[in-house]
Amino acid sequence: DVKVTQSSRYLVKRTGEKVFLECVQDMDHENMFWYRQDPGLGLRLIYFSYDVKMKEKGDIPEGYSVSREKKERFSLILESASTNQTSMYLCASSWGDSNSPLHFGNGTRLTVT
Amino acid sequence: QKEVEQDPGPLSVPEGAIVSLNCTYSNSAFQYFMWYRQYSRKGPELLMYTYSSGNKEDGRFTAQVDKSSKYISLFIRDSQPSDSATYLCAMSAGNYGQNFVFGPGTRLSALP
């Protein structure tokens, strides 16, 4: 079974703090993704990566950056957290071909106060 | 118009009922269709994955795709309390970048 592990289930941060969300997958998947999930808006893609050190912007990259130094690990960085970044953050991974479905972690609930 | 529409519910059904969950979409390029189940405070779990039009069955679950109507469905037979969750549809054109588009989800309560 694919396992995607997000390092924190719940985080509370203050406005202006730098926040790191970590994700590790154990299936040697080429692709990794960061989504945020908000009520009524569905899942929205922030960034994705199809290879080590590669990254592509998704639909809502503003205010975020990512890092992928190793194949199994994909980090989401909020350079200066704001209250409108309070959300559920979901990491996902998939095989390299464009048809592969996503496998999700259990999410990090981030609250910015 | 949103690219993928899904009734948010909540939908309450008695145990043992047949449940029908639906999504409509506007992009005729979508070819790959998925249904995810998400329990409270958990990540989405892949339930069904289909390509193009047709039906796919897995146990109590059947996924249907009608590309001509831009309409997909998930049927759950003999619903159980453990089916209580939010169900998300997702779809993709299969292009580079894997930009999956998700519906907002339908919350289902299967009551004992």
Side-chain angles (χ1 to χ4, degrees), chain B residues 6-111:
Chain B
Q6 186 177 8
D7 187 333
L11 178 63
S12 294
V13 299
E15 187 173 355
I18 297 174
V19 178
S20 171
L21 304 168
N22 310 294
C23 286
T24 59
Y25 62 94
S26 56
N27 187 347
S28 57
F30 288 147
Q31 302 184 71
Y32 302 93
F33 303 92
M34 288 138 279
W35 285 97
Y36 287 85
R37 177 176 62 196
Q38 186 175 21
Y39 291 116
S40 180
R41 292 184 292 277
K42 298 282 190 181
E45 169 196 8
L46 181 67
L47 271 182
M48 301 289 279
Y49 177 66
T50 54
Y51 168 70
S52 195
S53 285
N55 292 3
K56 182 176 181 179
E57 188 172 320
D58 184 0
R60 296 185 295 113
F61 299 92
T62 300
Q64 265 186 8
V65 175
D66 182 349
K67 289 189 70 181
S68 62
S69 301
K70 299 190 183 71
Y71 188 88
I72 69 171
S73 300
L74 178 70
F75 297 96
I76 307 174
R77 289 182 296 281
D78 186 24
S79 58
Q80 303 293 311
S82 59
D83 295 327
S84 299
T86 297
Y87 290 80
L88 308 172
C89 63
M91 43 202 80
S92 166
N95 297 326
Y96 169 72
Q98 292 200 50
N99 199 0
F100 294 86
V101 181
F102 287 82
T106 298
R107 190 153 59 91
L108 171 68
S109 292
L111 306 172

Side-chain angles (χ1 to χ4, degrees), chain A residues 9 16 25 49 56 63 75 88-89 97:
Chain A
R9 293 299 306 277
Q25 52 93 5
S49 169
E56 297 279 351
S75 303
M88 168 72 95
Y89 289 88
D97 64 87

Side-chain angles (χ1 to χ4, degrees), chain A residues 5-64:
Chain A
T5 303
Q6 294 184 232
S7 55
S8 303
R9 293 299 306 277
Y10 300 96
L11 275 180
V12 179
K13 297 292 181 181
R14 294 198 180 275
T15 301
E17 279 193 81
K18 190 169 186 175
V19 181
F20 293 86
L21 303 183
E22 307 286 346
C23 175
V24 177
Q25 52 93 5
D26 66 357
M27 281 300 292
D28 203 33
H29 282 170
E30 287 83 2
N31 303 323
M32 296 189 74
F33 305 79
W34 277 106
Y35 286 85
R36 64 178 282 177
Q37 184 176 33
D38 300 287
L41 296 178
L43 276 78
R44 293 180 290 167
L45 181 64
I46 304 170
Y47 268 96
F48 68 97
S49 169
Y50 55 88
D51 201 353
V52 176
K53 298 191 184 295
M54 305 302 286
K55 60 185 179 184
E56 297 279 351
K57 292 180 180 180
D59 299 319
I60 51 164
E62 297 78 18
Y64 304 95

